[in-house]
Amino acid sequence: MTDLSAFPITKKWPAVHPDRLQLYSLPTPNGVKVSIMLEETGLPYEPHLVSFETHDQTSPAFLSLNPNNKIPAILDPHGPGGKPLALFESGAILIYLADKTGKLIPQDAAGRYETIQWLMFQMGGIGPMFGQLGFFNKFAGKDYEDKRPRDRYVAESKRLLNVLEQRLKGRAWIMGDDFTIADIATFPWVRNLVGFYEAGDLVGIQDFPNVNRVLAAFVARPAVVAGLGIPRRG
């Protein structure tokens, strides 16, 4: 039996199955990247809900694993060299899990780096820009009389969607025929933009047929269906 007692986070979220990878998350676009990845790869894992309503993400226990107080984070009892590994940042976790399992990332060097390139495109562009648009369209920012901030993020989101649209022409997925971590990172955010953020009309989502096509294929995958609801909200 693996002993994870050296990690303070296990005091707040005890591991029922300490031999399994521990996931600390919430079903947000960033959070579900990892739950979907785990469902796709079949790695045994134990999910723990980090509730924003009770400010779990700022608790000393969570900060001991991720000082940046963001989900998701993982604790892998079987990390490199057989030692436990704590890791945060969704993109880093996706790369780690792809390398650990040998799945969802090309094995040739050129394909690997091109996949990571598109993962970084999501991390640096789609995630932050779509998130800002959500703030100005649905949350506190919607009450601002000056719509220039909202319109700035609308324009940038359209630009990013067009980049993705052009990439997907003639391709089943971002990297071609194979589903990869680039898709796992990107399409929860596209889904959120249209659904939860209610910004589909603002960005003219109907003008991006390839994005819509691949989004539909993405949400139809059984592992995605499962991962979108993990961890289960209380």
Side-chain angles (χ1 to χ4, degrees), residues 1-5 7 9-24 44-49 75 77-78:
M1 184 71 70
T2 305
D3 183 8
L4 299 178
S5 62
F7 295 87
I9 196 166
T10 62
K11 304 297 190 295
K12 185 174 178 64
W13 290 279
V16 177
H17 303 285
D19 285 331
R20 299 180 186 178
L21 186 146
Q22 305 294 303
L23 169 65
Y24 308 93
Y45 71 102
E46 181 177 350
H48 303 277
L49 181 72
L75 175 55
H78 307 294

Side-chain angles (χ1 to χ4, degrees), residues 7-9 13 24-25 30 50 52 56-75 86-90 93:
F7 295 87
I9 196 166
W13 290 279
Y24 308 93
S25 191
N30 281 332
V50 179
F52 289 176
D56 283 348
Q57 75 276 21
T58 59
S59 66
F62 188 77
L63 291 173
S64 71
L65 191 63
N66 182 1
N68 194 36
N69 66 275
K70 303 290 185 183
I71 59 95
I74 64 168
L75 175 55
L87 206 59
F88 64 89
E89 282 296 329
S90 60
I93 296 171

Side-chain angles (χ1 to χ4, degrees), residues 210-221:
N210 289 300
V211 172
N212 284 296
R213 168 181 56 82
V214 180
L215 175 61
F218 177 77
V219 298
R221 295 177 69 90

Side-chain angles (χ1 to χ4, degrees), residues 62-151:
F62 188 77
L63 291 173
S64 71
L65 191 63
N66 182 1
N68 194 36
N69 66 275
K70 303 290 185 183
I71 59 95
I74 64 168
L75 175 55
D76 184 0
H78 307 294
K83 297 179 180 179
L85 174 69
L87 206 59
F88 64 89
E89 282 296 329
S90 60
I93 296 171
L94 288 179
I95 295 170
Y96 170 71
L97 294 176
D99 287 345
K100 180 182 177 72
T101 61
K103 297 179 179 179
L104 301 173
I105 194 168
Q107 297 304 299
D108 66 289
R112 171 185 170 82
Y113 286 117
E114 190 177 353
T115 304
I116 293 173
Q117 163 188 267
W118 285 101
L119 172 63
M120 294 302 110
F121 170 75
Q122 182 279 307
M123 298 291 294
I126 281 180
M129 295 301 105
F130 287 13
Q132 292 290 352
L133 177 51
F135 173 80
F136 283 103
N137 187 55
K138 184 170 182 176
F139 299 108
K142 74 178 187 300
D143 297 326
Y144 295 178
E145 290 186 15
D146 187 348
K147 296 304 178 185
R148 284 176 295 180
R150 185 203 67 178
D151 292 346

